[in-house]
Amino acid sequence: MRDFGAGFGYLLQGQKWVGRNGRWFGFGLLPGLVTFVLYVGALAGLFYGADDLTAWATPFADDWGSPWQGLIRNTLTFLVFALGLFLAVITFTAVTLLIGQPFYESLSEAVDRGEGGEVPESGLPLWRELWISARDSLRVLVRVAFFGILLFAAGFVPVVGQTVVPVLGFCVSGFFLTQELTSVALQRRGIEFKERLAMLRGRRMAALGFGVPLTLSFLIPFVAVLLMPGAVAGATLMARELNGETAGDAAADDDARDPSRPGSVHFRKN
């Protein structure tokens, strides 16, 4: 539980950082606002269309009497919307980071600069960074979809589906949410997707401590938008610790690649 508290501590530190730097808070709100509007529309459509979807998917229940028809269809409608909400929480960060790549890169660099030392840069053009971010987000979403399908199926199990499954769902969401957010800083350091994932698996409880409270807060409308700038700042602080950095440390590894090669790590002096 100590590591869980450490992860939560980074989340709080990030919110405090943007609180002390109001300009960056406002700067980081813009991508989240755009994504929020898109997701509200999508979830509203799912909410009003879930009944028709479940009726279409269960033609075998057309002739069932009360209460069985209502029970099966209402349960399925709830699970469909819960799955949609689960995916929305996970994909919100990925889509927001993709839309706001230049915004959050700058914010993350400002956090690194504030910690002292040198500021790592990927040295890649924006289009290349966007491509890598989209590709890695897709890898995350494939994993999330896999777990989501398993949890969706387990939701039909009596008692377990209403108790254990939601808890597991929040843990899965929290872990991959942390993975998405720390990728902003770790990608700039030239750390590949699999290595980033291994870092978080090695500090699983810290990842959950950061991501699970954030996932729960994202269930409250508009809160996700307000917390995103601080979440990126906190994830940058966490990424520094995962990478073995302290204030004033250079972020380059001993075996850093040639700066002239794509994907190598560059550093900018303060």
Side-chain angles (χ1 to χ4, degrees):
M1 291 303 293
R2 192 174 189 179
D3 224 17
F4 186 94
F8 184 63
Y10 282 117
L11 179 60
L12 293 181
Q13 288 177 47
Q15 302 304 322
K16 291 178 181 177
W17 190 93
V18 295
R20 294 191 304 268
N21 299 271
R23 180 174 68 90
W24 287 106
F25 175 72
F27 189 70
L29 283 179
L30 297 176
L33 285 171
V34 174
T35 310
F36 179 76
V37 171
L38 294 174
Y39 272 61
V40 166
L43 287 174
L46 179 62
F47 179 79
Y48 287 108
D51 287 341
D52 293 336
L53 178 62
T54 53
W56 171 82
T58 56
F60 55 84
D62 287 344
D63 298 327
W64 290 11
S66 180
W68 305 114
Q69 184 189 82
L71 183 63
I72 184 67
R73 286 183 171 170
N74 288 338
T75 299
L76 189 57
T77 297
F78 171 77
L79 290 173
V80 166
F81 188 75
L83 178 61
L85 192 60
F86 171 79
L87 292 176
V89 170
I90 289 298
T91 59
F92 179 88
T93 301
V95 173
T96 303
L97 291 177
L98 188 61
I99 292 174
Q101 179 81 11
F103 294 83
Y104 295 130
E105 285 281 352
S106 298
L107 194 158
S108 180
E109 288 180 7
V111 174
D112 272 327
R113 191 175 301 110
E115 291 298 297
E118 299 175 322
V119 179
E121 292 181 328
S122 67
L124 299 174
L126 178 60
W127 71 268
R128 179 67 176 167
E129 290 184 347
L130 289 173
W131 163 249
I132 294 173
S133 180
R135 181 197 65 191
D136 292 348
S137 292
L138 182 60
R139 291 177 176 177
V140 170
L141 293 179
V142 168
R143 287 165 169 78
V144 170
F146 172 75
F147 285 110
I149 291 170
L150 291 181
L151 293 172
F152 180 78
F156 289 98
V157 179
V159 182
V160 173
Q162 292 73 48
T163 54
V164 177
V165 169
V167 173
L168 291 177
F170 283 121
C171 288
V172 170
S173 300
F175 180 85
F176 285 110
L177 187 59
T178 303
Q179 199 281 333
E180 285 281 0
L181 288 165
T182 53
S183 68
V184 176
L186 293 176
Q187 184 178 312
R188 283 192 294 109
R189 287 159 167 78
I191 300 175
E192 297 294 333
F193 176 82
K194 289 184 178 179
E195 189 177 351
R196 300 198 299 261
L197 205 56
M199 282 180 169
L200 288 175
R201 284 172 177 163
R203 297 289 304 281
R204 198 180 305 270
M205 289 305 296
L208 294 177
F210 187 94
V212 171
L214 197 58
T215 301
L216 291 170
S217 65
F218 277 16
L219 296 177
I220 304 172
F222 200 65
V223 169
V225 177
L226 297 175
L227 294 184
M228 270 299 291
V232 172
T236 300
L237 295 171
M238 185 175 183
R240 291 174 61 88
E241 194 267 339
L242 289 172
N243 200 39
E245 300 170 37
T246 58
D249 280 352
D253 295 330
D254 293 335
D255 58 348
R257 290 166 287 181
D258 184 341
S260 64
R261 294 173 57 189
S264 63
V265 181
H266 294 250
F267 296 94
R268 181 174 64 229
K269 293 285 185 180
N270 285 335

